[in-house]
mmCIF file of all heavy atoms in Angstrom:
data_model
loop_
_atom_site.group_PDB
_atom_site.id
_atom_site.type_symbol
_atom_site.label_atom_id
_atom_site.label_comp_id
_atom_site.label_asym_id
_atom_site.label_seq_id
_atom_site.Cartn_x
_atom_site.Cartn_y
_atom_site.Cartn_z
ATOM 1 N N TYR T 2 0.631 2.156 -0.894
ATOM 2 C CA TYR T 2 1.381 3.404 -0.918
ATOM 3 C C TYR T 2 1.012 4.242 0.289
ATOM 4 O O TYR T 2 -0.147 4.365 0.660
ATOM 5 C CB TYR T 2 1.100 4.193 -2.195
ATOM 6 C CG TYR T 2 1.883 3.655 -3.344
ATOM 7 C CD1 TYR T 2 1.356 2.694 -4.169
ATOM 8 C CD2 TYR T 2 3.179 4.075 -3.568
ATOM 9 C CE1 TYR T 2 2.090 2.165 -5.205
ATOM 10 C CE2 TYR T 2 3.930 3.558 -4.597
ATOM 11 C CZ TYR T 2 3.375 2.605 -5.418
ATOM 12 O OH TYR T 2 4.115 2.086 -6.433
ATOM 13 N N VAL T 3 2.004 4.820 0.914
ATOM 14 C CA VAL T 3 1.825 5.586 2.141
ATOM 15 C C VAL T 3 1.388 7.013 1.843
ATOM 16 O O VAL T 3 0.647 7.599 2.605
ATOM 17 C CB VAL T 3 3.137 5.591 2.955
ATOM 18 C CG1 VAL T 3 3.017 6.440 4.194
ATOM 19 C CG2 VAL T 3 3.532 4.168 3.318
ATOM 20 N N LEU T 4 1.785 7.568 0.723
ATOM 21 C CA LEU T 4 1.499 8.959 0.408
ATOM 22 C C LEU T 4 0.613 9.078 -0.808
ATOM 23 O O LEU T 4 0.588 8.214 -1.654
ATOM 24 C CB LEU T 4 2.804 9.711 0.151
ATOM 25 C CG LEU T 4 3.796 9.673 1.305
ATOM 26 C CD1 LEU T 4 5.108 10.277 0.872
ATOM 27 C CD2 LEU T 4 3.232 10.417 2.487
ATOM 28 N N ALA T 5 -0.095 10.165 -0.889
ATOM 29 C CA ALA T 5 -0.947 10.420 -2.046
ATOM 30 C C ALA T 5 -0.096 10.562 -3.296
ATOM 31 O O ALA T 5 0.994 11.119 -3.256
ATOM 32 C CB ALA T 5 -1.762 11.688 -1.813
ATOM 33 N N ILE T 6 -0.613 10.092 -4.404
ATOM 34 C CA ILE T 6 0.107 10.163 -5.664
ATOM 35 C C ILE T 6 0.334 11.609 -6.082
ATOM 36 O O ILE T 6 1.296 11.930 -6.741
ATOM 37 C CB ILE T 6 -0.655 9.395 -6.754
ATOM 38 C CG1 ILE T 6 -0.613 7.907 -6.419
ATOM 39 C CG2 ILE T 6 -0.057 9.627 -8.124
ATOM 40 C CD1 ILE T 6 -1.434 7.058 -7.294
ATOM 41 N N ALA T 7 -0.532 12.511 -5.663
ATOM 42 C CA ALA T 7 -0.389 13.919 -6.031
ATOM 43 C C ALA T 7 0.968 14.478 -5.631
ATOM 44 O O ALA T 7 1.446 15.432 -6.241
ATOM 45 C CB ALA T 7 -1.500 14.736 -5.385
ATOM 46 N N VAL T 8 1.607 13.893 -4.655
ATOM 47 C CA VAL T 8 2.908 14.358 -4.205
ATOM 48 C C VAL T 8 3.912 14.332 -5.351
ATOM 49 O O VAL T 8 4.809 15.166 -5.425
ATOM 50 C CB VAL T 8 3.396 13.507 -3.015
ATOM 51 C CG1 VAL T 8 4.845 13.805 -2.669
ATOM 52 C CG2 VAL T 8 2.498 13.742 -1.817
ATOM 53 N N PHE T 9 3.764 13.413 -6.298
ATOM 54 C CA PHE T 9 4.685 13.316 -7.413
ATOM 55 C C PHE T 9 4.623 14.548 -8.310
ATOM 56 O O PHE T 9 5.509 14.810 -9.080
ATOM 57 C CB PHE T 9 4.399 12.067 -8.255
ATOM 58 C CG PHE T 9 4.781 10.809 -7.553
ATOM 59 C CD1 PHE T 9 3.833 10.071 -6.878
ATOM 60 C CD2 PHE T 9 6.093 10.369 -7.564
ATOM 61 C CE1 PHE T 9 4.190 8.909 -6.228
ATOM 62 C CE2 PHE T 9 6.452 9.212 -6.914
ATOM 63 C CZ PHE T 9 5.493 8.480 -6.244
ATOM 64 N N PHE T 10 3.542 15.313 -8.233
ATOM 65 C CA PHE T 10 3.369 16.479 -9.078
ATOM 66 C C PHE T 10 3.702 17.787 -8.363
ATOM 67 O O PHE T 10 3.455 18.841 -8.888
ATOM 68 C CB PHE T 10 1.925 16.543 -9.588
ATOM 69 C CG PHE T 10 1.572 15.362 -10.424
ATOM 70 C CD1 PHE T 10 0.693 14.418 -9.952
ATOM 71 C CD2 PHE T 10 2.138 15.182 -11.673
ATOM 72 C CE1 PHE T 10 0.366 13.323 -10.723
ATOM 73 C CE2 PHE T 10 1.822 14.087 -12.437
ATOM 74 C CZ PHE T 10 0.941 13.163 -11.968
ATOM 75 N N LEU T 11 4.247 17.723 -7.159
ATOM 76 C CA LEU T 11 4.499 18.925 -6.381
ATOM 77 C C LEU T 11 5.992 19.150 -6.130
ATOM 78 O O LEU T 11 6.447 19.113 -4.999
ATOM 79 C CB LEU T 11 3.757 18.829 -5.038
ATOM 80 C CG LEU T 11 2.254 18.707 -5.102
ATOM 81 C CD1 LEU T 11 1.690 18.450 -3.712
ATOM 82 C CD2 LEU T 11 1.639 19.953 -5.698
ATOM 83 N N PRO T 12 6.763 19.384 -7.160
ATOM 84 C CA PRO T 12 8.175 19.645 -6.900
ATOM 85 C C PRO T 12 8.334 20.965 -6.149
ATOM 86 O O PRO T 12 7.597 21.904 -6.368
ATOM 87 C CB PRO T 12 8.796 19.719 -8.288
ATOM 88 C CG PRO T 12 7.680 19.956 -9.214
ATOM 89 C CD PRO T 12 6.428 19.432 -8.566
ATOM 90 N N LEU T 13 9.285 20.995 -5.261
ATOM 91 C CA LEU T 13 9.539 22.180 -4.460
ATOM 92 C C LEU T 13 10.792 22.863 -4.988
ATOM 93 O O LEU T 13 11.838 22.238 -5.113
ATOM 94 C CB LEU T 13 9.739 21.780 -2.997
ATOM 95 C CG LEU T 13 10.127 22.890 -2.034
ATOM 96 C CD1 LEU T 13 8.997 23.897 -1.926
ATOM 97 C CD2 LEU T 13 10.448 22.305 -0.677
ATOM 98 N N TYR T 14 10.691 24.139 -5.290
ATOM 99 C CA TYR T 14 11.874 24.866 -5.735
ATOM 100 C C TYR T 14 12.165 25.964 -4.733
ATOM 101 O O TYR T 14 11.346 26.818 -4.464
ATOM 102 C CB TYR T 14 11.697 25.453 -7.122
ATOM 103 C CG TYR T 14 12.938 26.169 -7.583
ATOM 104 C CD1 TYR T 14 14.069 25.438 -7.919
ATOM 105 C CD2 TYR T 14 12.995 27.547 -7.625
ATOM 106 C CE1 TYR T 14 15.235 26.071 -8.316
ATOM 107 C CE2 TYR T 14 14.150 28.191 -8.030
ATOM 108 C CZ TYR T 14 15.262 27.444 -8.364
ATOM 109 O OH TYR T 14 16.412 28.067 -8.750
ATOM 110 N N ASP T 15 13.326 25.911 -4.193
ATOM 111 C CA ASP T 15 13.789 26.892 -3.218
ATOM 112 C C ASP T 15 15.284 27.051 -3.480
ATOM 113 O O ASP T 15 15.973 26.077 -3.753
ATOM 114 C CB ASP T 15 13.520 26.358 -1.803
ATOM 115 C CG ASP T 15 13.887 27.350 -0.726
ATOM 116 O OD1 ASP T 15 14.782 28.185 -0.934
ATOM 117 O OD2 ASP T 15 13.275 27.280 0.340
#
Side-chain angles (χ1 to χ4, degrees):
Y2 280 92
V3 177
L4 302 172
I6 292 173
V8 170
F9 289 97
F10 298 110
L11 299 173
L13 175 65
Y14 182 71
D15 184 332

